[in-house]
Amino acid sequence: MPPLGVMLAAAALALLGACSPAEPATYEPTYGSTPAAPLTTTEILFAVHPLHNPRRLFEVYQPLVDLINERIWPTYHMRLETSRDYATFEQKLAAGKFQFAIPNPYQTLVSESHGYRIIGKMGSDQRFRGIILVRRDSGELPIAALKGAPISFPAPTALAATMMPRMFLHQHGLDVADIDARYVGSQESSIMNVLLGKTIAGGTWPPPWEAFQHRRPMLARQLMVRWETDPLVNNGLVVQDGVSHDLTSKISDIIFHLHETPRGRSIIEAMEIDRFDPASAKTFEPVRQFVADYEATFGRRP
Amino acid sequence: MIEGPLKGLLPAASIRRKLVVGVAFVHLLLMTFFVFDLVHRQRDFLWDELTQRTLHHAEVLAISASSWVLSDDLAGMEEVVEGSSRGSDVRYALLTDPGGRILAHTDRDKIGLYLTDKISLDAISGARQARVYHQDVNSVHAIAPIIVADHLIGWSMLSVDKVATTAHLAYVTRTGILYTLAAIAIGTLFAVLLARSILGQLRYLLAGVDNLQNNILDIPVPVVSNDEVGRVAKAFNRAVASLAESRAQLTSEIAERRRVESSLRALSQRQVSLIEDERKRIARDLHDELGQALSGMQFCLKSLQAQEGMSQHDDTCTKLTGQVERMGVAIHRIANDLRPATLDHLGLIPAIKAFVADQQPFVGDSVQINFDAAGFKRRLPPEVEMIAYRIVQEGLSNAIKHAHARQVDILLTVNHPALIVTIRDDGIGFDAAEQTRNGSSAFAGIGLLGMQERAGTIGGKVEIKARKEHGTVLRAELPYAEEHANGDAHTDC
């Protein structure tokens, strides 16, 4: 073979050698029905109704869960579980998935029929009111202007953000049939629908609106609170009937004394309340009355 | 630079082969480096891109799934996992809780199970950051933490197949090799065409050089290209044309010089001949006229002395008779010097012998003169004999008068078609080179120019070799024509 051919062959082999095919071994993870390290703690679930999107809710309420975990570890481990919408939350609540939960006042009442007991409520009832947002450029919009126009609400059972604003509109002149309610799943979604002009107005309540103003001030400036409802009893704190008295006592004790320590106060400040208070079914009697009136006006939920 | 390696690869190869192999070799070398580098860069890039893509994929999956994980929404997580594996080379994607329980998996049968292998467990117990936690030749495995509010709520894990990348690399390699071969083929073809272009003109040039070597100056080299070689061919043609012109001029000048030299030689020969004739005439007249007159005077004086009554004039007559005899001898010697009659009547050898014999009384025993001759079968042409005689005459005189020689050897050798005259002495000699450098007239003094002039009249030459204190050798080569040599034969030459 001439020298040129030898060199050519050598170069080709070098090139091929540089990109030699891979060896056959390929890693695959293996799975088993039991964890590699056996669980030694009992997990308890803590849920909050979707008054924020899941991430925001986690940011606000996980510090409380962390604090509780510090006190109940290693016997128990509390995990915060969010829900993307009211319907999901209510399904889980109805299924008895959570050991502890903070439903809205209406769900608090409903939870009693699903094996939960009311042990407390959020303070700052004055903040538990509905607000109706409109675009700032729509001016002094009269309620009559909402007649037949789409209005966004988070979910049918959102007491402050849906039920109370709907009742407000009805009490101020709109017939039930004139209210074109659009349920958009979450508080933020209700706000964004107004912002984007998909709905003429949107129902929500102060904490998510303030959070929106804080996170998206440029957008928030395009909106304004046009109407506010009267306040009602704030969200409840319920515990599943099967949870031991000791655990319930320990956890409720932590929650009701949050406002007494700096760390606790920072936790409840993030929740935009001043404290948690012990409560019972009787505490929510005004809510029960409101719901009755509401259902009488708008009909029972299916 | 290439000459060295090529010299080793292609000993004694033609320019064409050197050019072709050189170009092919350069292409091979450069393209090999290029393709090798390209493949490596491509491989590094693709591996890096695949790794980054896998990592990014895992991170996106973690971010997308965070809300679903927070909500423990298995259906939502499943949607996210399926979405992440759609339309790509994802081998599997999964979500786990911090303890390794499968929350969602592209293989739904794995949901609810736990990761049990060491690699996976090490990964989920490692740092809370997105990373490639395993990589083999066929797959890349990345993991990303699902973190909300600085809390680890799970992991996304993703594996991407490398097969497509490997196949692409193989394709790049094959393409690179094909490009290399194509580059070599194109380069070689170009080199062949280039060699043909250059060497075509060079072949014509080589033919021109052959013609030049064979003194063929009237056939110009065809100029078939306008490049540097073509310009060389044009320059070669101009040089050859100039050479031809110069040669013609030189030939003409040589012919003219030869003609002039011939004329000069003829003139010189005629002059010498005239001189010799004149000397011969004078010698004859001296011998015939004055010799007769002196003989008559001597007879008259002897007659007068024999008469009676003249006794008182006897002494006077005796003195006059003696003077007349001496005058006769002198006249005979002068005549002989002018033209030795022996040369004309007996030939060269007797003439030189006589001359040597005449010189012996003057030098006595202080100088030994040896004469020898060889090769003489017949007499040589008269002019050759006369010139040889004069050279011997002059050479011997120089050896005696100037060289202060104590021995002089004269040798005449007939070596047809020339007579060689050699005169060797053991005298004081001289430095011929120095004499020449200093423009000394020593040569003239020793009559070399005269000897050369005489020899030149018949086309001969005279050389002198001398060294200081080591004697002198005079060598004359006198050519003669055969027909002249066929002249009078003489037993004594």
Side-chain angles (χ1 to χ4, degrees), chain B residues 59-80:
Chain B
E59 288 178 311
V60 169
L61 177 59
I63 293 169
S64 304
S66 61
S67 294
W68 304 105
V69 175
L70 283 171
S71 307
D72 197 23
D73 189 328
L74 297 179
M77 286 187 264
E78 201 170 290
E79 283 181 15
V80 173

Side-chain angles (χ1 to χ4, degrees), chain A residues 39-215:
Chain A
L39 299 174
T40 57
T41 59
T42 302
E43 185 178 76
I44 54 175
L45 288 180
F46 178 74
V48 181
H49 79 279
L51 47 81
H52 299 295
N53 65 50
R55 180 174 287 272
R56 173 67 182 157
L57 195 74
F58 191 87
E59 290 169 356
V60 173
Y61 286 88
Q62 183 61 31
L64 173 61
V65 175
D66 291 340
L67 180 63
I68 293 171
N69 273 330
E70 290 174 13
R71 308 284 176 84
I72 62 175
W73 182 267
T75 308
Y76 297 100
H77 171 72
M78 178 177 276
R79 182 167 67 83
L80 173 64
E81 181 167 318
T82 65
S83 299
R84 294 194 60 80
D85 52 45
Y86 279 81
T88 307
F89 175 77
E90 287 166 6
Q91 284 174 5
K92 292 176 183 175
L93 194 66
K97 184 177 183 181
F98 314 121
Q99 280 71 47
F100 291 85
I102 299 179
N104 71 13
Y106 172 72
Q107 292 162 340
T108 302
L109 294 175
V110 174
S111 69
E112 288 184 301
S113 61
H114 298 306
Y116 289 91
R117 179 165 54 92
I118 300 171
I119 60 170
K121 65 176 270 296
M122 286 178 163
S124 308
D125 286 348
Q126 287 300 313
R127 287 176 58 79
F128 192 82
R129 63 177 72 229
I131 57 176
I132 299 173
L133 302 173
V134 296
R135 286 191 60 85
R136 192 174 292 276
D137 55 15
S138 61
E140 296 293 320
L141 204 62
I143 286 182
L146 304 185
K147 182 179 178 182
I151 304 170
S152 54
F153 298 103
T157 56
L159 185 64
T162 301
M163 297 168 74
M164 290 166 71
R166 282 187 77 185
M167 197 66 180
F168 175 86
L169 293 175
H170 173 65
Q171 288 169 346
H172 286 78
L174 285 185
D175 288 341
V176 172
D178 293 335
I179 301 173
D180 180 8
R182 302 287 175 86
Y183 300 111
V184 293
S186 68
Q187 305 285 346
E188 271 195 17
S189 182
S190 178
I191 298 170
M192 289 300 294
N193 268 271
V194 183
L195 184 75
L196 298 176
K198 297 176 78 174
T199 55
I200 192 169
T204 185
W205 69 303
W209 167 237
E210 289 166 6
F212 187 81
Q213 287 177 300
H214 178 69
R215 289 203 311 275

Side-chain angles (χ1 to χ4, degrees), chain B residues 269-445:
Chain B
Q269 191 172 7
R270 178 171 172 73
Q271 185 182 11
V272 170
S273 178
L274 286 173
I275 291 171
E276 287 298 326
D277 287 347
E278 185 62 17
R279 293 175 71 163
K280 191 175 180 180
R281 186 188 62 78
I282 293 171
R284 188 172 59 245
D285 286 350
L286 283 173
H287 183 269
D288 290 348
E289 298 297 332
L290 288 178
Q292 289 294 330
L294 289 175
S295 295
M297 285 178 67
Q298 195 173 21
F299 179 76
C300 288
L301 285 172
K302 284 185 177 179
S303 297
L304 186 63
Q305 196 175 10
Q307 286 178 5
E308 290 183 3
M310 292 299 288
S311 56
Q312 69 271 26
H313 300 291
D314 194 33
D315 291 339
T316 303
C317 288
T318 300
K319 288 179 181 175
L320 284 173
T321 301
Q323 287 179 346
V324 169
E325 281 178 354
R326 285 194 293 277
M327 284 179 65
V329 170
I331 286 170
H332 176 75
R333 183 175 52 81
I334 290 170
N336 200 53
D337 285 344
L338 286 172
R339 179 74 184 191
T342 314
L343 181 63
D344 293 331
H345 299 306
L346 299 179
L348 180 60
I349 293 173
I352 290 176
K353 283 180 177 176
F355 175 70
V356 169
D358 287 343
Q359 296 300 315
Q360 202 67 54
F362 295 104
V363 297
D365 295 332
S366 62
V367 180
Q368 181 182 345
I369 302 172
N370 302 315
F371 172 69
D372 198 3
F376 284 84
K377 293 180 179 176
R378 56 182 66 87
R379 286 196 60 175
L380 299 176
E383 67 273 18
V384 175
E385 286 187 337
M386 186 272 294
I387 291 169
Y389 179 82
R390 292 299 182 196
I391 288 172
V392 170
Q393 198 175 25
E394 187 69 30
L396 184 58
S397 175
N398 286 337
I400 294 168
K401 289 179 181 175
H402 303 297
H404 309 296
R406 287 178 297 177
Q407 180 174 331
V408 181
D409 298 319
I410 302 169
L411 175 62
L412 298 184
T413 305
V414 173
N415 187 9
H416 182 73
L419 168 64
I420 309 298
V421 179
T422 306
I423 303 170
R424 185 190 309 269
D425 68 56
D426 60 353
I428 59 176
F430 59 92
D431 187 343
E434 187 180 352
Q435 295 288 343
T436 303
R437 279 197 303 273
N438 296 339
S440 170
S441 59
F443 283 4

Side-chain angles (χ1 to χ4, degrees), chain B residues 1 10 13 21 30 68 89 118 133 196 246 257 286 289 291 301 321 323 327 346 361 429 450 454 480:
Chain B
M1 288 179 68
L10 302 164
V21 173
L30 293 180
W68 304 105
D89 46 3
K118 185 174 186 308
Y133 70 94
R196 182 178 294 175
S246 298
R257 195 187 74 184
L286 283 173
E289 298 297 332
L301 285 172
T321 301
Q323 287 179 346
M327 284 179 65
L346 299 179
R454 282 179 184 276
Y480 63 90

Side-chain angles (χ1 to χ4, degrees), chain B residues 100-354:
Chain B
R101 185 167 62 95
I102 306 298
L103 302 175
H105 199 296
T106 44
D107 179 2
R108 295 182 180 181
D109 293 339
K110 302 290 193 303
I111 296 173
L113 299 176
Y114 291 87
L115 290 169
T116 56
D117 64 289
K118 185 174 186 308
I119 293 175
S120 297
L121 293 175
D122 287 346
I124 63 174
S125 61
R128 292 180 181 182
Q129 62 183 27
R131 62 190 185 280
V132 172
Y133 70 94
H134 184 77
Q135 189 165 190
D136 54 43
V137 291
N138 293 326
S139 58
V140 180
H141 303 258
I143 186 170
I146 304 172
I147 295 176
V148 179
D150 208 26
H151 283 75
L152 179 70
I153 61 171
W155 295 95
S156 73
M157 301 174 82
L158 195 84
S159 175
V160 172
D161 215 329
K162 280 184 173 178
V163 171
T165 305
T166 306
H168 180 72
L169 277 176
Y171 168 75
V172 170
T173 305
R174 284 196 304 274
T175 307
I177 291 173
L178 286 177
Y179 279 142
T180 302
L181 295 175
I184 291 171
I186 292 170
T188 304
L189 180 63
F190 177 76
V192 168
L193 295 176
L194 188 65
R196 182 178 294 175
S197 168
I198 295 173
L199 295 180
Q201 185 66 75
L202 278 179
R203 275 198 294 273
Y204 285 126
L205 268 173
L206 285 174
V209 171
D210 288 340
N211 286 340
L212 182 62
Q213 198 171 7
N214 295 325
N215 278 328
I216 302 172
L217 303 180
D218 53 351
I219 301 176
V221 171
V223 179
V224 295
S225 66
N226 289 322
D227 54 13
E228 288 81 351
V229 184
R231 289 205 291 275
V232 169
K234 288 177 185 172
F236 179 82
N237 282 341
R238 284 197 298 272
V240 169
S242 175
L243 185 63
E245 187 179 349
S246 298
R247 192 177 75 168
Q249 189 175 356
L250 190 61
T251 304
S252 172
E253 288 176 358
I254 289 172
E256 178 64 17
R257 195 187 74 184
R258 282 179 178 168
R259 190 187 63 77
V260 170
E261 284 178 354
S262 178
S263 298
L264 283 174
R265 194 159 48 242
L267 187 63
S268 179
Q269 191 172 7
R270 178 171 172 73
Q271 185 182 11
V272 170
S273 178
L274 286 173
I275 291 171
E276 287 298 326
D277 287 347
E278 185 62 17
R279 293 175 71 163
K280 191 175 180 180
R281 186 188 62 78
I282 293 171
R284 188 172 59 245
D285 286 350
L286 283 173
H287 183 269
D288 290 348
E289 298 297 332
L290 288 178
Q292 289 294 330
L294 289 175
S295 295
M297 285 178 67
Q298 195 173 21
F299 179 76
C300 288
L301 285 172
K302 284 185 177 179
S303 297
L304 186 63
Q305 196 175 10
Q307 286 178 5
E308 290 183 3
M310 292 299 288
S311 56
Q312 69 271 26
H313 300 291
D314 194 33
D315 291 339
T316 303
C317 288
T318 300
K319 288 179 181 175
L320 284 173
T321 301
Q323 287 179 346
V324 169
E325 281 178 354
R326 285 194 293 277
M327 284 179 65
V329 170
I331 286 170
H332 176 75
R333 183 175 52 81
I334 290 170
N336 200 53
D337 285 344
L338 286 172
R339 179 74 184 191
T342 314
L343 181 63
D344 293 331
H345 299 306
L346 299 179
L348 180 60
I349 293 173
I352 290 176
K353 283 180 177 176

